[in-house]
Amino acid sequence: MGLDDVTHQRVRLGVLVMLAEIPVCAFSTLRSELRLTDGNLNRHVQVLVDAGLVTLTKGYEGNRPRTWVKLTRDGRRALRDELSALEQLTARLQAADLDD
């Protein structure tokens, strides 16, 4: 079906979609918007980092430490591929007669 295990997981897909809209996003914003704990989001972001789909930058905003997450070119491509696979799956389902 073309669905990728790294990008297809709900949280990781959500991270990629948010980063497609906001190319560089604070970790805390992702955590808040996706309604996750720090640990849960951190684990999913690390999978995306290991796959080369996002990068992390640590720094400060004022006196507060911050981590920013950025979508890579490969991440944008992976998201596009995942959405294409989902569209193909949707088209197959629409072509099938599910009412029988």
Side-chain angles (χ1 to χ4, degrees):
M1 270 187 243
L3 298 175
D4 181 274
D5 288 340
V6 172
T7 57
H8 188 67
Q9 198 284 337
R10 180 187 67 83
V11 171
R12 293 190 291 266
L13 185 57
V15 169
L16 293 175
V17 168
M18 282 191 64
L19 292 175
E21 297 174 333
I22 307 167
V24 178
C25 188
F27 183 91
S28 59
T29 301
L30 288 171
R31 182 193 62 222
S32 175
E33 290 296 316
L34 296 172
R35 298 179 182 178
L36 298 168
T37 64
D38 282 344
N40 194 345
L41 179 57
N42 187 55
R43 179 65 193 120
H44 288 290
V45 167
Q46 190 59 54
V47 170
L48 295 171
V49 167
D50 292 346
L53 305 183
V54 301
T55 60
L56 298 179
T57 304
K58 295 186 182 275
Y60 288 87
E61 191 172 74
N63 291 332
R64 299 182 69 170
R66 293 278 187 235
T67 300
W68 290 275
V69 186
K70 181 179 180 183
L71 189 62
T72 65
R73 180 174 288 140
D74 286 343
R76 192 168 299 282
R77 187 177 308 115
L79 176 59
R80 201 170 28 247
D81 291 348
E82 184 68 18
L83 293 175
S84 177
L86 288 169
E87 288 170 353
Q88 290 172 17
L89 183 59
T90 301
R92 284 178 55 186
L93 286 173
Q94 288 173 343
D97 189 3
L98 299 177
D99 292 330
D100 285 343

